[in-house]
Amino acid sequence: MFSNTTDLDLRLIRVFLAVVDARGITAAEATLGVRQSTISTQLSALEARVGFKLCERGRGGFRLTSKGERFAATARTLVAATSEFVARVRDIDRKLVGTLSIGLIGQAPLVENARVAEAIGAFRKRDQAVRFSMKVSSPQELEESLVNNQLDLAIGYFWHRVPGLVYTQLFTEEQVIYCGRGHPLFHGTRPVTAADLQAHDWVWRTYPVPEEQCPLTERQVTAIADSIEAATILILSGGHLGYLPAHHAEPFEQRGLVRALGRKTFSFDVPLHLAMKRSAAEKPIVQAFCQDLLGAFSIKPGTRD
């Protein structure tokens, strides 16, 4: 009766699974590197150990019994668990172990995303066994996730400072007013004025961006959008003006689908920050990744807003 598992049992189980995967003893010979007679003897030994027949083998070919099919499924679970155990034991001695949860706003400039990727690459070269978890959300959702300990750190627009979070500026993003090809201002020949912009419908973003800094005191907001993609569609329609990151709008501008308005007068830069909870900043994993991230952006450690 099979009441406990020994090293020999594990070896016999691996032989059995190799035969199952090869669909026969003959085919498993090359995989296992032993003679057919030896494999057959090992299968017989395993059947004697468990107390029931696992497979039919002989001139009629190889076939699992009903109990053999159930045993194979259970054996695969055991082998997988053993492999996971070995991996976990191997990682115990690593200096950095655990999960690193990172939040992003998405649609960041390609060059800036490349810097984040560079930081991840540098971090992977450390003595670590860390699992990355990446999430894309709105700035408000990112801050809420930081406060609720659902994220370790986040990169995005964070205009209003949340108590308990620390912020470090990483880069800036130019925000420019655009109109679509079907808009009355698209083919204008003179520079636009504040009065021109105030006379038309606008799309406004639901998440906080310091757009109130530009010299426009009034707007006809007839549409709202919770993402850059949604705002872009409304602007492309020709029915709305709106701010977009210049790097995001550039491909549309090159194709003649949108036009920048009053770039010298009404555009402005928005800072994007690295944000994290003060308590999270003390975690070895977070500390190490932040070192690599700030290094990728050529920012001195300890720099905070």
Side-chain angles (χ1 to χ4, degrees), residues 59-300:
R59 294 182 179 180
F62 177 85
R63 182 181 63 83
L64 287 176
T65 64
S66 59
K67 290 184 179 180
E69 291 178 352
R70 291 161 58 188
F71 181 83
T74 304
R76 291 189 192 282
T77 302
L78 172 63
V79 171
T82 302
S83 299
E84 183 179 356
F85 170 77
V86 172
R88 288 178 177 272
V89 171
R90 184 188 60 227
D91 291 339
I92 286 176
D93 196 40
R94 296 285 182 91
K95 291 182 179 180
L96 300 171
V97 181
T99 299
L100 182 64
S101 300
I102 302 174
L104 304 168
I105 59 166
Q107 295 297 334
L110 179 60
V111 65
E112 312 303 350
N113 278 338
R115 292 179 189 271
V116 177
E118 178 186 339
I120 294 174
F123 182 85
R124 282 301 191 196
K125 294 178 181 178
R126 292 175 177 267
D127 184 13
Q128 52 79 34
V130 173
R131 177 175 180 268
F132 276 82
S133 175
M134 309 285 281
K135 174 183 179 181
V136 176
S137 297
S138 69
Q140 183 177 356
E141 290 173 334
L142 291 179
E143 286 181 314
E144 291 175 355
S145 295
L146 289 171
V147 171
N148 295 330
N149 298 315
Q150 296 172 333
L151 289 176
D152 293 310
L153 54 91
I155 300 173
Y157 305 116
F158 302 117
W159 191 240
H160 301 295
R161 295 293 182 263
V162 175
L165 300 184
V166 292
Y167 300 84
T168 302
Q169 183 174 323
L170 295 180
F171 57 92
T172 60
E173 184 178 81
E174 184 185 20
Q175 299 281 327
V176 181
I177 300 172
Y178 291 92
C179 68
R181 187 163 54 189
H183 196 276
L185 296 179
F186 187 86
H187 298 289
T189 57
R190 62 176 179 81
V192 297
T193 64
D196 295 327
L197 299 176
Q198 291 168 346
H200 293 279
D201 291 345
W202 279 70
V203 55
W204 208 249
R205 281 177 265 176
T206 57
Y207 53 88
V209 176
E211 291 166 322
E212 64 272 19
Q213 286 190 343
C214 66
L216 284 174
T217 56
E218 297 180 5
R219 298 176 184 80
Q220 298 180 29
V221 178
T222 59
I224 58 173
D226 66 355
S227 68
I228 291 173
E229 291 86 350
T232 301
I233 292 172
L234 288 162
I235 292 169
L236 286 169
S237 73
H240 301 86
L241 303 177
Y243 275 101
L244 293 175
H247 71 87
H248 170 78
E250 184 177 3
F252 300 99
E253 193 172 10
Q254 290 177 345
R255 294 173 61 186
L257 298 176
V258 299
R259 176 190 174 189
L261 301 175
R263 191 162 191 162
K264 293 184 178 179
T265 305
F266 301 103
S267 65
F268 61 94
D269 290 335
V270 173
L272 278 84
H273 291 79
L274 165 67
M276 70 187 77
K277 211 170 183 179
R278 293 184 187 276
S279 57
E282 303 302 322
K283 295 180 180 179
I285 294 177
V286 176
Q287 286 181 344
F289 181 76
C290 286
Q291 289 176 5
D292 294 328
L293 183 64
L294 296 181
F297 281 94
S298 300
I299 298 174
K300 293 182 179 180

